[in-house]
Amino acid sequence: MPKVFETQPILLQLILVFVIFSGFFKNGNAGITSDFIRSEWPSIDIPLDNEVHITQGDYNGKAVIISWVTPDEPGTNKVQYGVSKKKYDFTAEGTVKNYTFYNYKSGYIHHCLVDGLEYETKYYYKIGSGDSSREFWFQTPPKINPDTPYKFGIIGDLGQTYNSLSTLEHYMQSGAQAVLFVGDLAYADRYKYNDVGIRWDSWGRFVERSAAYQPWMWSAGNHEIEYMPYMGEVIPFKSYLNRYPTPHLASKSSSPFWYAIRRASAHIIVLSSYSSFVKYTPQWEWLREELKRVDREKTPWLIVLMHIPIYNSNEAHFMEGESMRAVFEKWFVRYKVDVVFAGHVHAYERSYRVSNIHYNVSSGDRFPAADESAPVYITVGDGGNQEGLAGRFRDPQPDYSAFREASYGHSTLEIKNRTHAIYHWNRNDDGKKVPTDAFVLHNQYWGSNLRRKKLKKHHLRTVVGWVSSY
């Protein structure tokens, strides 16, 4: 019986401790439970990049072709779009396809034409559905007008190296509104077997940061051919044609390799260095008619893109463009083309206004001569590809060559009005964008004294601060 009474003080002590601690917690003097609840991100994996890219979808700049890839299943091939963020009042339906290359099987490649757009308008668009949907935007160009300012970027032979990344990042800081791409995209043909297709996928993801938000106008180079009989792949341009559409039908072209568009104050003609172009071939016939369609009163700037340069003083690919020069150069002079951009040579070079149209196999001057009616020829095959720079220029420097340098970089052409444009080539120097070559380009059509007299005084303001002009 005494043992029972001995345990009572212990029980009283335990009850007292419990009451004290209960009050301690109740009065908030111990741990704290926050009542804040953070907004939760969806509990799903971050979606893979879809290799989204856009290009102009018609002749006059009121349409785009939106392309993307879904890896595992086709999904929806519709694009929702509108003029307000996250408010999509319109829907366009596209097509879907895939292809094989060796044992590689591509994802499902979607192409959707979005047309009937308004000029100079920002559109938001969404691809996919549900948790896998993604949203982007683009800006349509101004209405076609001879004095509409517009800034183009020019990139060639890009690839997907660290130098390529430097070029792309510097370009994206330039303020340019669209890219004129002069061929050699992914350099996937530097790989073998399934890696060819994988490298096309990685390049699509690489350029998406720009190409999903502004149009890239495509032209094909030799690295798009991918003729690989040792792998059983003998259909040229198979990957390129499946992935990168062009609006060739809008300019009455029979092939996606050559076509034309009008954008702002420019008429842009894309030619194919790797398609037949001699007299009576489809490309020759098409170009003859397209040059007649150019209206310099509406689009005063006439720009030509091709892959192989016509004038090139680098040992790399020297004279490869001679056959196309012999066929088309006289037309470039006759129609007063302002500038011809090319790639292929992994260096930068700009020519004076020259032509070599008076020579034939029996008579005439054998050398290029100064010609005020000729275009300026610019090689920008310096995007940053895996093959490296072409550092061996011919010595002495030919008279037609105004500036040349073996460095990586990109160019911009900023059209100011119908008479003047400002051109820059920017070198990638130790990871920095360095303006290296710049000049004022005078329009060939409106540059004549007779037509200048028709212009109002404000069109003729002088662009100062430049050491050269053409």
Side-chain angles (χ1 to χ4, degrees), residues 81-89 122-125 135:
Y81 65 100
V83 296
S84 299
K85 193 172 185 179
K86 295 189 180 297
K87 184 180 180 183
Y88 306 107
D89 296 322
K122 187 173 185 177
Y123 284 91
Y124 299 88
Y125 69 97
E135 297 168 284

Side-chain angles (χ1 to χ4, degrees), residues 359-402:
Y359 172 72
N360 58 52
V361 294
S362 61
S363 64
D365 191 346
R366 295 177 298 150
F367 302 102
D371 189 337
E372 292 184 357
S373 296
V376 175
Y377 294 91
I378 299 178
T379 301
V380 285
D382 53 356
N385 63 84
Q386 192 187 75
E387 293 178 334
L389 291 166
R392 294 177 57 224
F393 286 104
R394 295 176 67 83
D395 190 31
Q397 185 170 357
D399 291 339
Y400 62 77
S401 177

Side-chain angles (χ1 to χ4, degrees), residues 83-139:
V83 296
S84 299
K85 193 172 185 179
K86 295 189 180 297
K87 184 180 180 183
Y88 306 107
D89 296 322
F90 310 103
T91 301
E93 187 167 1
T95 61
V96 61
K97 66 168 89 171
N98 59 7
Y99 73 98
T100 58
F101 198 93
Y102 188 61
N103 291 328
Y104 163 86
K105 184 177 180 179
S106 76
Y108 294 91
I109 302 169
H110 302 256
H111 301 301
C112 184
L113 175 67
V114 178
D115 58 5
L117 303 174
E118 297 295 325
Y119 284 122
E120 212 162 359
T121 301
K122 187 173 185 177
Y123 284 91
Y124 299 88
Y125 69 97
K126 182 171 78 170
I127 61 169
S129 60
D131 294 336
S132 63
S133 65
R134 300 179 68 207
E135 297 168 284
F136 305 88
W137 57 265
F138 62 86
Q139 179 89 19

Side-chain angles (χ1 to χ4, degrees), residues 157-231:
D157 300 69
L158 184 58
Q160 44 192 310
T161 68
Y162 288 106
N163 289 307
S164 314
L165 178 61
S166 179
T167 296
L168 184 57
E169 289 181 338
H170 291 153
Y171 163 72
M172 291 175 65
Q173 299 168 16
S174 71
Q177 297 157 277
V179 171
L180 307 179
F181 197 90
V182 292
D184 283 358
L185 286 70
Y187 283 77
D189 66 337
R190 298 274 295 172
Y191 294 82
K192 294 182 178 181
Y193 306 112
N194 290 352
D195 286 341
V196 176
I198 291 170
R199 278 299 173 176
W200 275 106
D201 289 329
S202 62
W203 195 81
R205 292 190 286 269
F206 170 60
V207 299
E208 182 187 273
R209 68 197 74 187
S210 171
Y213 298 93
Q214 59 175 227
W216 285 41
M217 270 57 89
W218 305 109
S219 60
N222 56 298
H223 284 281
E224 280 71 76
I225 298 174
E226 292 183 337
Y227 178 73
M228 299 177 171
Y230 68 94
M231 291 166 48

Side-chain angles (χ1 to χ4, degrees), residues 16-32:
L16 181 62
V17 169
F18 176 77
V19 170
I20 291 172
F21 272 91
S22 296
F24 193 73
F25 284 109
K26 185 176 181 181
N27 294 329
N29 295 321
I32 298 172

Side-chain angles (χ1 to χ4, degrees), residues 123-388:
Y123 284 91
Y124 299 88
Y125 69 97
K126 182 171 78 170
I127 61 169
S129 60
D131 294 336
S132 63
S133 65
R134 300 179 68 207
E135 297 168 284
F136 305 88
W137 57 265
F138 62 86
Q139 179 89 19
T140 53
K143 184 178 180 180
I144 291 173
N145 182 279
D147 290 305
T148 296
Y150 201 79
K151 190 172 185 178
F152 292 99
I154 305 97
I155 300 175
D157 300 69
L158 184 58
Q160 44 192 310
T161 68
Y162 288 106
N163 289 307
S164 314
L165 178 61
S166 179
T167 296
L168 184 57
E169 289 181 338
H170 291 153
Y171 163 72
M172 291 175 65
Q173 299 168 16
S174 71
Q177 297 157 277
V179 171
L180 307 179
F181 197 90
V182 292
D184 283 358
L185 286 70
Y187 283 77
D189 66 337
R190 298 274 295 172
Y191 294 82
K192 294 182 178 181
Y193 306 112
N194 290 352
D195 286 341
V196 176
I198 291 170
R199 278 299 173 176
W200 275 106
D201 289 329
S202 62
W203 195 81
R205 292 190 286 269
F206 170 60
V207 299
E208 182 187 273
R209 68 197 74 187
S210 171
Y213 298 93
Q214 59 175 227
W216 285 41
M217 270 57 89
W218 305 109
S219 60
N222 56 298
H223 284 281
E224 280 71 76
I225 298 174
E226 292 183 337
Y227 178 73
M228 299 177 171
Y230 68 94
M231 291 166 48
E233 293 295 342
V234 295
I235 300 174
F237 300 101
K238 186 177 183 180
S239 301
Y240 173 77
L241 288 175
N242 275 285
R243 293 172 181 268
Y244 292 94
T246 63
H248 66 284
L249 295 176
S251 59
K252 302 179 181 179
S253 167
S254 60
S255 168
F257 295 116
W258 59 86
Y259 63 97
I261 61 170
R262 303 197 303 174
R263 194 170 186 88
S265 51
H267 193 120
I268 300 160
I269 293 176
V270 179
L271 298 178
S272 175
S273 298
Y274 298 100
S275 303
S276 299
F277 51 77
V278 297
K279 194 172 184 178
Y280 305 128
T281 59
Q283 185 171 198
W284 184 91
E285 295 277 9
W286 173 84
L287 180 59
R288 182 179 62 173
E289 296 307 311
E290 183 61 29
L291 287 169
K292 296 175 184 177
R293 295 176 68 188
V294 177
D295 185 351
R296 306 295 280 271
E297 300 283 336
K298 295 179 179 178
T299 50
W301 294 94
L302 182 52
I303 301 167
V304 173
L305 311 181
M306 59 179 63
H307 187 63
I308 299 177
I310 284 179
Y311 285 96
N312 164 38
S313 68
N314 199 295
E315 293 290 354
H317 307 300
F318 183 63
M319 295 285 286
E320 281 187 26
E322 188 65 8
S323 55
M324 183 171 274
R325 185 202 63 77
V327 176
F328 289 150
E329 186 182 22
K330 59 183 178 293
W331 286 353
F332 295 164
V333 173
R334 181 188 307 167
Y335 288 95
K336 295 185 180 296
V337 171
D338 291 294
V339 59
V340 177
F341 291 110
H344 200 40
V345 179
H346 300 163
Y348 173 76
E349 185 167 16
R350 170 175 56 86
S351 78
Y352 294 109
R353 292 195 184 278
V354 296
S355 71
N356 191 13
I357 58 176
H358 301 295
Y359 172 72
N360 58 52
V361 294
S362 61
S363 64
D365 191 346
R366 295 177 298 150
F367 302 102
D371 189 337
E372 292 184 357
S373 296
V376 175
Y377 294 91
I378 299 178
T379 301
V380 285
D382 53 356
N385 63 84
Q386 192 187 75
E387 293 178 334

